Amino acid sequence: MKYRRARFTAVAAVLALVAAGCSLEQAASRDTVKVVVGYQSKTINTVTAGTLLRAKGFLEQRLSKLTADGGKKYQVEWQDYDTGAPITAQMVAEKIDIGSMGDYPLLINGSRTQANERSRTEFVSVTGYQPRGSLNMIVVNRDSPVQSLHDLAGKKVSSSVGSASDGLLRQALSRGGIDPKSGVEVLNQQPQIGASALESGQVQALSQFVAWPGLLVFQDKAELLFDGAELNVPTFHGVVARRDYSNQHPEVLDAFIQAQLDATDFLHQRPLEAAKLVADGSGLPQEVVYLYNGPGGTSFDTPLKPQLIQAFKGDVPYLKSIGDFADLDIDGFVNDAPLRKAFADRGLDYNAAVGNFANPAPISGTDPVANRPVTDAALASEVWLDGQDTAQPAADPTALLRAVKQARAQGKKVRAAYVPDAELGTRWFADKALWVRAGDTYLPFTTPAAAQRYLTAHPGGTQLSYEQAVGEVRS
């Protein structure tokens, strides 16, 4: 009898300890705020709200400070996706609190989430933008007979329906007189699947968002057919937050936006180091990351500028073209109040930032070969020599060719060189550009169509390869 009583007492004690443990765990859980962030590691124009932000730990640092100041504990969970669509699906299911994606996916996000107050989202900041639209491009195989959009009629094209690249494809085809629904066969594929389909010849073109076009061209697997900048419509990526979550935890959204500003500052101040962190976190070559994230590339600037919002409103008809989507009130979807607060807390003038549509990180400095300052952002170029921790500025593409020639003569290896397209301004790989000589000036172009437009207007120009241009440029 004593043995039974003792065993019962021991069991009761264990149960009491377990119950106490559960209650302590539940209490700890109640004191910990979880924030789930959806991002796209390979969509490198979201890096200040994704890959770079995660690598630097800026969000965790901001939240830890809140805890140290007597606040709750915070737990950050990062979820990586290939496109914006699954992030939206998880936000609809109330499983992601803050996400980043491109402009067309942002439209779908706002439309899909608005039916439920708990999932309803708000567009709270921009990660990066391109004034003319070059963040989306169409590429073809290197040996492809396709030389223009008109040549795509009746062909198979890979894209990700609902993405910014799909919006580009539809706009480009329509402007070229091709019905995007019947004029081509569009295969709805994830970017990496589409890249494989292009390489194997299953499709004749691939329309995608950064960094896929640049990656495939860099790898010598594709050539650029259509530069999204030809549409001359701003494209951008941005951040959305679930309004219900933000109302419950405004300090988390504030910490996130402040952390995004931290990441933006870091990218501007240490671009090559930032590119390496993004490359490590995404698996992309650092040279490709720097093409977009380096000075003179994507404008990494958080304000919700009127030019971007106007372009956003112009994208609304796209929703109807791809399915049955609820109308979206853009003015009601956009909320710059949290960003304005973050700017004010840092002593920054938000209105001044909104009014400036120029790239906040242009190429600057002194061209060491030409021995003159780099003053024209539309011409500024860069040479990245192997072993250097900063890229070398060049005043213009012709000066860049001279810098490359000099580096080779000195036995130095050029890791990458970047030039702006002479017509559209798109930052591109110098060795992948199409070059035209006009007198003593050398002009780079991203696409055959762009080079041909120049040659038609300037019959005296001569088209040549990158190697020919480097070889004949006068030192």
Side-chain angles (χ1 to χ4, degrees):
M1 190 72 176
K2 289 181 179 179
Y3 170 75
R4 289 180 178 177
R5 186 179 298 111
R7 191 172 73 169
F8 175 80
T9 302
V11 171
V14 170
L15 291 174
L17 285 171
V18 171
C22 287
S23 62
L24 287 172
E25 184 177 332
Q26 291 170 352
S29 177
R30 285 195 298 270
D31 289 338
T32 300
V33 176
K34 185 176 181 180
V35 53
V36 182
V37 181
Y39 74 111
Q40 304 169 64
S41 64
K42 287 184 170 59
T43 305
I44 57 177
N45 286 302
T46 63
V47 297
T48 53
T51 312
L52 181 61
L53 180 61
R54 181 180 186 181
K56 290 300 296 179
F58 289 133
L59 176 57
E60 289 81 355
Q61 293 166 24
R62 288 277 178 179
L63 294 173
S64 293
K65 188 176 186 306
L66 293 178
T67 302
D69 290 342
K72 294 182 177 182
K73 294 180 180 180
Y74 298 89
Q75 177 188 348
V76 182
E77 180 180 324
W78 297 88
Q79 295 184 6
D80 187 8
Y81 297 91
D82 291 324
T83 64
I87 296 177
T88 291
Q90 291 294 86
M91 296 188 94
V92 169
E94 302 166 32
K95 293 182 178 179
I96 286 181
D97 306 307
I98 301 173
S100 56
M101 59 194 72
D103 40 17
Y104 285 92
L106 284 168
L107 277 179
I108 295 173
N109 182 283
S111 176
R112 288 290 194 211
T113 62
Q114 65 182 335
N116 178 1
E117 280 302 314
R118 287 178 57 86
S119 67
R120 192 183 189 96
T121 59
E122 292 178 322
F123 179 22
V124 295
S125 70
V126 171
T127 56
Y129 69 88
Q130 213 291 326
R132 294 184 64 99
S134 67
L135 301 184
N136 308 296
M137 295 174 166
I138 302 173
V139 294
V140 295
N141 273 322
R142 292 189 66 197
D143 57 353
S144 174
V146 175
Q147 293 293 304
S148 69
L149 283 177
H150 296 287
D151 296 336
L152 288 180
K155 303 289 195 304
K156 292 182 179 180
V157 181
S158 174
S159 188
S160 302
V161 174
S163 74
S165 65
D166 185 44
L168 160 75
L169 179 62
R170 291 168 185 267
Q171 285 192 64
L173 290 174
S174 295
R175 290 195 185 187
I178 300 174
D179 187 332
K181 292 185 177 180
S182 62
V184 298
E185 182 180 348
V186 179
L187 276 63
N188 182 17
Q189 297 174 323
Q190 294 285 76
Q192 63 270 33
I193 302 300
S196 297
L198 179 68
E199 190 174 1
S200 65
Q202 297 175 32
V203 298
Q204 285 69 59
L206 171 74
S207 179
Q208 273 302 342
F209 47 78
V210 294
W212 289 97
L215 173 64
L216 294 174
V217 171
F218 176 77
Q219 295 173 330
D220 288 327
K221 294 179 179 179
E223 291 182 345
L224 189 59
L225 175 73
F226 185 83
D227 184 343
E230 288 193 37
L231 297 178
N232 198 23
V233 177
T235 53
F236 59 90
H237 293 71
V239 176
V240 281
R242 283 199 303 113
R243 188 164 63 178
D244 179 67
Y245 180 88
S246 300
N247 288 340
Q248 292 183 51
H249 308 290
E251 79 285 0
V252 174
L253 179 58
D254 181 62
F256 187 92
I257 291 177
Q258 291 285 4
Q260 185 190 345
L261 292 172
D262 294 337
T264 303
D265 289 343
F266 181 85
L267 184 146
H268 289 161
Q269 295 162 9
R270 301 162 78 174
L272 268 184
E273 184 179 343
K276 186 179 186 308
L277 289 170
V278 173
D280 292 343
S282 66
L284 293 165
Q286 191 175 350
E287 297 88 343
V288 174
V289 175
Y290 194 69
L291 170 69
Y292 299 107
N293 288 185
T298 299
S299 296
F300 283 94
D301 205 11
T302 55
L304 294 150
K305 301 175 189 286
Q307 297 93 328
L308 302 181
I309 303 307
Q310 190 59 41
F312 200 36
K313 291 178 179 179
D315 294 338
V316 170
Y318 171 77
L319 289 174
K320 300 298 183 182
S321 73
I322 62 171
D324 185 19
F325 286 91
D327 291 333
L328 178 63
D329 174 15
I330 297 297
D331 291 328
F333 181 48
V334 174
N335 179 13
D336 66 359
L339 189 57
R340 284 182 176 274
K341 176 184 180 303
F343 265 64
D345 289 345
R346 297 167 87 104
L348 301 175
D349 187 338
Y350 183 80
N351 289 331
V354 165
N356 184 4
F357 204 50
N359 192 320
I363 298 171
S364 60
T366 299
D367 182 331
V369 176
N371 194 29
R372 57 191 171 98
V374 177
T375 57
D376 191 340
L379 297 175
S381 307
E382 280 191 309
V383 181
W384 180 9
L385 299 179
D386 198 28
Q388 285 189 338
D389 56 5
T390 57
Q392 177 178 304
D396 53 52
T398 304
L400 177 132
L401 294 175
R402 293 193 181 103
V404 171
K405 188 171 187 174
Q406 182 185 91
R408 289 179 176 179
Q410 296 171 348
K412 298 177 181 178
K413 181 182 178 182
V414 176
R415 184 164 177 177
Y418 307 94
V419 290
D421 176 277
E423 177 189 36
L424 304 171
T426 300
R427 178 173 161 97
W428 200 237
F429 298 111
D431 62 331
K432 309 301 181 186
L434 301 171
W435 289 82
V436 172
R437 182 182 66 244
D440 292 331
T441 301
Y442 292 80
L443 306 171
F445 297 90
T446 56
T447 66
Q452 190 55 53
R453 282 193 294 269
Y454 179 86
L455 289 169
T456 299
H458 305 83
T462 303
Q463 188 167 339
L464 66 170
S465 70
Y466 170 69
E467 290 300 330
Q468 288 173 324
V470 172
E472 68 175 45
V473 69
R474 290 190 297 177
S475 299

